[in-house]
Amino acid sequence: SRVLLRALTALGMSLACDAEEGLVVQFAEPEVATCLVTLASESRGAGRTKLAEGVAAMAQAAGLQEVDFEFAGERTPSKCAVAHVLQEYTSFKARDRHVMLTELSARKLWTLNDFLSVLKVLADRRRSAAQQRVITCDAIDNGDGHMRLAQAMREVATMEEELTARRNRLERMERAYDDPDQVAHIRALMQEVGQAEEEQEQRRTWIKEQADTWKREATDFEEARQLRDQVCRQRIAALLMETKLRHLQRLAVRSEVTRIENLLLDLEESFSRSRQRLHEYDDRLTTAIQDKESLLVGLLQAMAVLKGQVRGADATTMERARELESLRRIMELQSNKAQRLDEIDALEKKVDVLKSKNMATAAAAVVSS
């Protein structure tokens, strides 16, 4: 809820992370968490502090259900973030770490840039509060009561001066009483002096009656001015504390950016070493490939020579095969000749046997005849 986040931010929330049990919040001041946590011995919704009740009422007014506060214990925002990252990224390689750290560094730099505008707004507000204090809490300004009293006292002094001047004129005229024209003037001056004394007495009586009122107004004005001065000083002190807190948060973010940059430098150094090893391995592979190529060229040349020798051997073999075929045919002819000669010899023997039989038959016939 935006209302709940605004309330927690106003209380000094520095870090927040989602968890299975709810929202894990880390405050800049540990005492804020102590003021928010419900008493462990009480049941849920009871034993809350006034601050917790106020935040819960704001959340309920925004439409949320009952909000309960308890100590996180071992569930720190960093551990929740680690669990979320391990769940989100099952195969977390160095390249993924580099990408995530780069994105986180960009966000932190945006946060640092936002702090500049926040500090500028705080400086403008502090300057405005100082100017308002100078204008509304000027020590020279004593209020209308003092001004009225001072003005009345000045008027009384003026009346006393006029009365003294008239008395002096009256004394001079009394010393010059021999002059008959001065009688009327003396009577007129005596009347004027009497009227002036009466007016002065009335004026003093009125001043005495109004003095308490003017003093009370001056006192009220002084108290109001002191109250305004105290309010301005408290506002300036609050702005200074807020500025100090923002500076501390900015330093914390800057330290996080520095750590992220160091991690990125370590990753880039490991990448550089890996690239160097890959380059060395590539050089070795290139050298091995060149050696293999030269060996392959030699083998191809040797194969070409061997193929030539094989072709020569094949030609010689074919020639010898033809010679062997010729010899085989000659041998076959010789074997056929020998076979024919044997057959001729056998036939001759048969003929001789037949001749001998015929001769014996003829001889027997001659003998019998």
Side-chain angles (χ1 to χ4, degrees), residues 282-296:
D282 184 61
D283 293 336
R284 291 196 298 271
L285 283 178
T286 303
T287 304
I289 289 171
Q290 290 177 355
D291 295 338
K292 298 298 182 181
E293 287 179 351
S294 60
L295 180 61
L296 183 60

Side-chain angles (χ1 to χ4, degrees), residues 4 7 24 34-35 50-51 58 64 79 95 114 119 125 128 169 187 203 216 234 263 267 277 291 295 319:
L4 182 60
V24 181
T34 306
C35 294
K50 292 183 178 180
L51 182 60
M58 293 175 63
L64 293 178
K79 291 183 179 179
R95 184 66 181 176
D114 293 338
L119 292 175
R125 289 181 178 178
S128 176
R169 289 174 60 188
R187 290 177 180 177
R203 190 68 176 175
R216 187 169 57 254
Q234 289 178 353
L263 291 174
L267 287 175
R277 289 195 298 270
D291 295 338
L295 180 61
E319 184 66 26

Side-chain angles (χ1 to χ4, degrees), residues 120-139 225 228-229 231-233 235-237 239:
K120 183 177 181 301
V121 170
L122 289 174
D124 294 338
R125 289 181 178 178
R126 189 171 66 252
R127 192 181 304 109
S128 176
Q131 291 177 357
Q132 185 178 1
R133 183 187 177 192
V134 171
I135 294 171
T136 59
C137 304
D138 190 4
R225 182 175 62 185
R228 290 195 300 270
D229 183 69
V231 170
C232 291
R233 286 188 286 107
R235 184 181 180 187
I236 292 172
L239 289 172

Side-chain angles (χ1 to χ4, degrees), residues 163-177 182 186 189-190 193:
L163 182 59
T164 303
R166 290 175 180 177
R167 285 176 179 175
N168 292 331
R169 289 174 60 188
L170 182 59
E171 289 177 358
R172 287 194 303 271
M173 288 182 180
E174 287 178 353
R175 285 194 297 269
Y177 185 71
Q182 297 295 328
I186 290 171
L189 286 174
M190 289 178 67
V193 169

Side-chain angles (χ1 to χ4, degrees), residues 35 64 88 90 108 114 133-134 159 177 180 231 265 287 299 304-305 314 326 331 345-346:
C35 294
L64 293 178
E88 184 72 18
T90 55
K108 294 297 181 181
D114 293 338
R133 183 187 177 192
V134 171
M159 292 175 67
Y177 185 71
V231 170
L265 289 175
T287 304
L299 289 175
V305 174
D314 290 339
S326 301
M331 291 177 67
D345 292 335

Side-chain angles (χ1 to χ4, degrees), residues 305-349:
V305 174
L306 288 175
K307 285 181 179 179
Q309 292 177 358
V310 167
R311 285 195 296 270
D314 290 339
T316 304
T317 303
M318 291 177 65
E319 184 66 26
R320 290 182 178 180
R322 286 195 295 269
E323 292 179 356
L324 288 174
E325 184 66 24
S326 301
L327 290 174
R328 186 180 63 77
R329 289 178 181 178
I330 291 170
M331 291 177 67
E332 287 179 356
L333 291 174
Q334 288 180 355
S335 62
N336 290 331
K337 181 180 178 181
Q339 186 177 2
R340 296 293 183 273
L341 290 174
D342 291 337
E343 292 177 354
I344 292 170
D345 292 335
L347 290 173
E348 288 180 352
K349 288 179 179 180

